[in-house]
Amino acid sequence: MVQEKARSPHLVLAMLLLVYIFNFLDRQILGILAQPIKTDLGLTDTELGALGGIAFALLYSVLGVPFAVIADKTSRSGVIAISLAVWSGFTALCGIATGFWQLFLFRLGVGIGEAGGVAPSYALIADYFPPHQRARALSIYSLGIPLGLAGGAFFGGWIAETVEWRVAFIVVGIAGVLIAPVFKYLVKDLPRPAPAAAAARVPVSTVFKIVAKKPSFWLLAFAASCSSLVGYGLAFWVPSVMIRSFGFSLLEASQYMGSLLLVGGTAGVFAGGWLADKLGGKDRGVYARLPAIAWLICAPLFATALLSDSPLVAWFLLVIPNGLNLLWLGPVTTAIQHLVPQAMRATASASFLFINNLIGLGLGSLVMGKMSDMMTVRFGNDALRYSVVAATTFYLLAAILILFAVKTLRKDWEDEPQQA
């Protein structure tokens, strides 16, 4: 088989970033449209939380591992392109849903598609960028999270306010389908050396046994899960908090949330990768210590901001943790890549993502929504606000768990052999 010419690493990273933006844009659009969807379809906060969490995360988490194995054995770029087309198609279908269960099934479809996107992308970046640039490259890729979340907030709110919420799903979904073939044309897999090709045939159970023996894997996975539970829940519910407790319109809430994610989120993601690359060469424990410090700052700032009576004061308090709560992405995803040999990276990443997404993404919005319904009788419209504030305590648990990984990472880290 003739190997296609590899593209520039920066072009590959730019295309992966674009796909990742659509990944999170398709997630966030449901959160910003939660209020009109709730009114139109007559849903409870618990049902909305299920749509934002478990409906998406259930198959997304389970299928991530087999899709990553396929990517390791075949074409990582091909799996990503097909995944983009599938999840975008189901996003468009969300615009025609007429009830909870129909929308639930369409969200399952979005999760199936997105299951094949992230782990192969991590592996492609690790292939294209040398170790000393990897955390920064992964952080640039992870900018897709705040950019996608901000885009979903800005454009979802604007389209829904201008036309209706259904059109927002359809427009975003069709755009993603159109980008998929362009991505496949521009992004190529790098040729793998013979040892890597042989390692790619290693069963997923073997890869999992390798990481399961390393304490760092479990500490990083469960710490990230606790952080993601709060982060995904906040991204989904804060627009609704601004509408219910601060009296915002849908458009005002979308602009407010979008600006927070754009300013704070992008700075936090990039800073995490830059600091990890700069400091981690001398001490691998830095890859765990940086997220711990960030999460310890996040919890009180989020709680204080959401309990504030002033939207302006809340914005300045929220912009800092909106950056810090994403700072972990570059350091932690880089560390996971270095727990296994090169050809097993996508599978190892998928194993990590399985835990992180099943707990964090699956439960975040659902737990907050359920607590909101339970507290509505006592607190009325402010029930959701207090539910979100209570959930920020998971940041403290995340910080404690990852601090234990500072020492274990120094032992579990696998350096790459020097190129001749």
Side-chain angles (χ1 to χ4, degrees):
M1 183 176 69
V2 178
Q3 178 67 39
E4 296 179 90
K5 184 179 178 181
R7 305 292 186 178
S8 159
H10 301 293
L11 173 62
V12 170
L13 183 58
M15 291 304 300
L16 289 171
L17 172 60
L18 178 62
V19 172
Y20 207 32
I21 287 172
F22 270 86
N23 183 306
F24 275 85
L25 194 156
D26 290 353
R27 300 187 199 187
Q28 178 62 13
I29 199 169
L30 180 65
I32 198 63
L33 299 176
Q35 283 303 116
I37 292 173
K38 178 179 181 177
T39 301
D40 193 9
L41 302 183
L43 306 180
T44 65
D45 281 348
T46 301
E47 289 174 326
L48 277 173
L51 291 173
I54 198 64
F56 176 88
L58 186 62
L59 293 181
Y60 176 71
S61 302
V62 172
L63 294 177
V65 175
F67 284 175
V69 173
I70 293 171
D72 274 343
K73 293 182 177 180
T74 58
S75 168
R76 289 164 177 166
S77 60
V79 169
I80 296 168
I82 293 171
S83 298
L84 172 60
V86 171
W87 89 59
S88 298
F90 276 104
T91 297
L93 287 174
C94 290
I96 65 172
T98 57
F100 170 76
W101 284 112
Q102 193 175 43
L103 190 53
F104 188 94
L105 290 174
F106 291 152
R107 292 294 293 173
L108 280 176
V110 175
I112 291 172
E114 293 199 12
V118 181
S121 297
Y122 286 168
L124 270 179
I125 291 169
D127 287 344
Y128 269 91
F129 289 87
H132 67 281
Q133 297 177 359
R134 200 162 288 156
R136 268 173 288 186
L138 282 165
S139 289
I140 291 171
Y141 170 71
S142 295
L143 288 174
I145 297 177
L147 292 175
L149 292 174
F154 280 129
F155 296 116
W158 178 76
I159 293 173
E161 190 83 0
T162 305
V163 191
E164 65 165 341
W165 65 268
R166 297 180 183 277
V167 176
F169 280 107
I170 294 170
V171 169
V172 169
I174 291 175
V177 171
L178 295 176
I179 289 172
V182 178
F183 174 88
K184 185 62 183 78
Y185 174 76
L186 292 176
V187 178
K188 309 299 179 186
D189 288 59
L190 288 178
R192 303 178 202 177
R201 294 192 291 271
V202 176
V204 62
S205 58
T206 301
V207 179
F208 186 74
K209 286 178 182 178
I210 293 174
V211 295
K213 292 178 181 178
K214 299 190 174 185
S216 299
F217 174 78
W218 297 106
L219 292 167
L220 293 172
F222 285 113
S225 297
C226 291
S227 169
S228 294
L229 187 150
V230 190
Y232 283 123
L234 288 171
F236 186 85
W237 283 119
V238 166
S240 294
V241 171
M242 304 315 297
I243 292 172
R244 298 184 197 182
S245 296
F246 289 83
F248 280 24
S249 67
L250 174 62
L251 185 59
E252 289 171 337
S254 69
Q255 293 170 340
Y256 190 91
M257 188 68 181
S259 64
L260 284 171
L261 292 163
L262 196 60
V263 176
T266 53
V269 170
F270 188 78
W274 182 81
L275 287 170
D277 273 345
K278 188 173 182 63
L279 304 175
K282 297 179 180 178
D283 179 10
R284 302 305 188 190
V286 166
Y287 288 82
R289 190 180 297 113
L290 285 173
I293 295 170
W295 291 332
L296 288 172
I297 299 172
C298 279
L301 284 179
F302 269 128
T304 303
L306 292 169
L307 292 173
S308 170
D309 293 326
S310 167
L312 182 61
V313 171
W315 191 94
F316 283 104
L317 289 173
L318 285 170
V319 73
I320 297 173
N322 263 281
L324 293 177
N325 77 334
L326 295 176
L327 184 141
W328 68 270
L329 288 162
V332 172
T333 54
T334 300
I336 293 295
Q337 299 288 308
H338 284 275
L339 297 179
V340 294
Q342 180 182 3
M344 302 179 189
R345 284 172 178 157
T347 306
S349 294
S351 301
F352 164 77
L353 290 170
F354 171 79
I355 299 170
N356 180 59
N357 291 321
L358 192 61
I359 297 174
L361 179 56
L363 297 180
S365 60
L366 177 60
V367 167
M368 293 181 189
K370 183 63 176 178
M371 287 195 297
S372 174
D373 282 337
M374 293 171 63
M375 293 190 288
T376 297
V377 174
R378 180 175 180 183
F379 297 109
N381 283 338
D382 279 331
L384 181 60
R385 184 209 297 239
Y386 294 124
S387 168
V388 170
V389 169
T392 60
T393 54
F394 279 94
Y395 276 132
L396 303 179
L397 178 58
I400 292 171
L401 287 171
I402 206 167
L403 280 172
F404 284 107
V406 171
K407 183 177 180 179
T408 62
L409 260 182
R410 296 167 183 154
K411 177 182 177 182
D412 295 339
W413 191 280
E414 289 195 16
D415 286 309
E416 293 181 6
Q418 295 294 321
Q419 298 292 327

